[in-house]
Amino acid sequence: GQQVMQIPQYQHVQEGEDFTTYCNSSTTLSNIQWYKQRPGGHPVFLIQLVKSGEVKKQKRLTFQFGEAKKNSSLHITATQTTDVGTYFCAGPEWAGTASKLTFGTGTRLQVTL
Amino acid sequence: NAGVTQTPKFQVLKTGQSMTLQCAQDMNHEYMSWYRQDPGMGLRLIHYSVGAGITDQGEVPNGYNVSRSTTEDFPLRLLSAAPSQTSVYFCASSMGGNTEAFFGQGTRLTVV
């Protein structure tokens, strides 16, 4: 089945530093989704990218979908303590009669003052 | 709107016991799914459903059963709990299998 890997598994930054997490799929994706999970919380949808090479921004967050639609990245500029959490990418996998959403392994971000 | 509601929030089971994790959504979503989350493993799909009466296996289905008798409810049954099933379980719903997923608050299960 489809494998979705993320690197790094963990990153610790000082507030104000930038952060990037990378997502790689073993198969071509129809879209890529990103979620954020705060400590002790549940995953919350951030964004969906659909087009090859697409770039979307949400304030300090920049999301990119690779040209081959097999990889994606999330970049946070000037991190803040509110960015703490685990970031997951997720891609749909066609299962014959319907799609199912496969999540990456996640990148845990820790931000200190 | 309540969104996706999971019960219970916490549960401790003894090895061999059975239990049902409840999940309900009020968004009229056709697609519902169950994930388990373990440290370093991300979210792994257990079972999913594309509509009432239709379910299918995910990546890690062994030891779990599901049914979908209504659009709103998608319970997850642990048949005979094992310590390896200690995990945090999340239920999610969406319009389809490739669209934004809405998650419940999670159930933290410990099997001793």
Side-chain angles (χ1 to χ4, degrees):
Chain A
Q2 178 178 281
Q3 304 283 334
V4 181
M5 302 298 294
Q6 282 182 255
I7 55 170
Q9 190 171 358
Y10 171 75
Q11 181 127 27
H12 183 184
V13 300
Q14 295 213 313
E15 191 176 47
E17 293 182 335
D18 291 357
F19 160 77
T20 304
T21 173
Y22 299 91
C23 173
N24 289 285
S25 171
S26 59
T27 60
T28 302
L29 301 169
S30 60
N31 70 65
I32 189 87
Q33 300 172 24
W34 285 92
Y35 293 77
K36 177 183 179 181
Q37 183 180 26
R38 294 183 189 275
H42 60 281
V44 175
F45 176 83
L46 293 175
I47 206 163
Q48 177 174 288
L49 305 171
V50 179
K51 298 177 183 176
S52 168
E54 188 171 14
V55 178
K56 286 189 175 180
K57 293 189 176 184
Q58 287 181 349
K59 297 182 181 178
R60 294 178 294 103
L61 277 61
T62 302
F63 303 84
Q64 187 164 9
F65 200 10
E67 294 291 340
K69 301 183 78 173
K70 294 182 71 174
N71 61 287
S72 181
S73 64
L74 158 59
H75 179 81
I76 303 178
T77 302
T79 55
Q80 300 175 357
T81 54
T82 53
D83 296 323
V84 166
T86 301
Y87 293 85
F88 292 98
C89 62
E93 176 184 5
W94 182 248
T97 54
S99 291
K100 53 184 180 180
L101 202 57
T102 300
F103 279 79
T105 45
T107 295
R108 186 161 69 94
L109 173 63
Q110 180 64 34
V111 182
T112 52
L113 295 172
Chain B
N1 272 347
V4 180
T5 303
Q6 283 184 242
T7 56
K9 286 189 169 55
F10 301 94
Q11 183 72 48
V12 179
L13 287 179
K14 293 183 178 178
T15 298
Q17 285 185 318
S18 63
M19 79 158 294
T20 299
L21 278 61
Q22 301 291 345
C23 176
Q25 53 94 7
D26 62 359
M27 296 174 281
N28 202 32
H29 285 162
E30 290 294 328
Y31 189 95
M32 295 185 75
S33 51
W34 278 100
Y35 291 87
R36 60 176 289 173
Q37 184 174 28
D38 303 291
M41 307 281 292
L43 293 155
R44 292 184 292 169
L45 183 63
I46 304 171
H47 285 285
Y48 64 101
S49 169
V50 300
I54 307 169
T55 64
D56 208 343
Q57 296 182 351
E59 182 186 356
V60 287
N62 291 343
Y64 308 95
N65 270 0
V66 291
S67 59
R68 185 97 178 269
S69 56
T70 67
T71 299
E72 294 78 19
D73 300 297
F74 189 43
L76 178 72
R77 297 182 188 83
L78 278 70
L79 309 172
S80 176
S84 60
Q85 294 179 304
T86 293
S87 187
V88 180
Y89 291 85
F90 288 101
C91 176
S93 78
S94 58
M95 291 180 63
N98 60 351
T99 57
E100 174 186 356
F102 295 82
F103 282 82
Q105 300 292 319
T107 296
R108 187 172 295 274
L109 175 69
T110 302
V111 183
V112 297

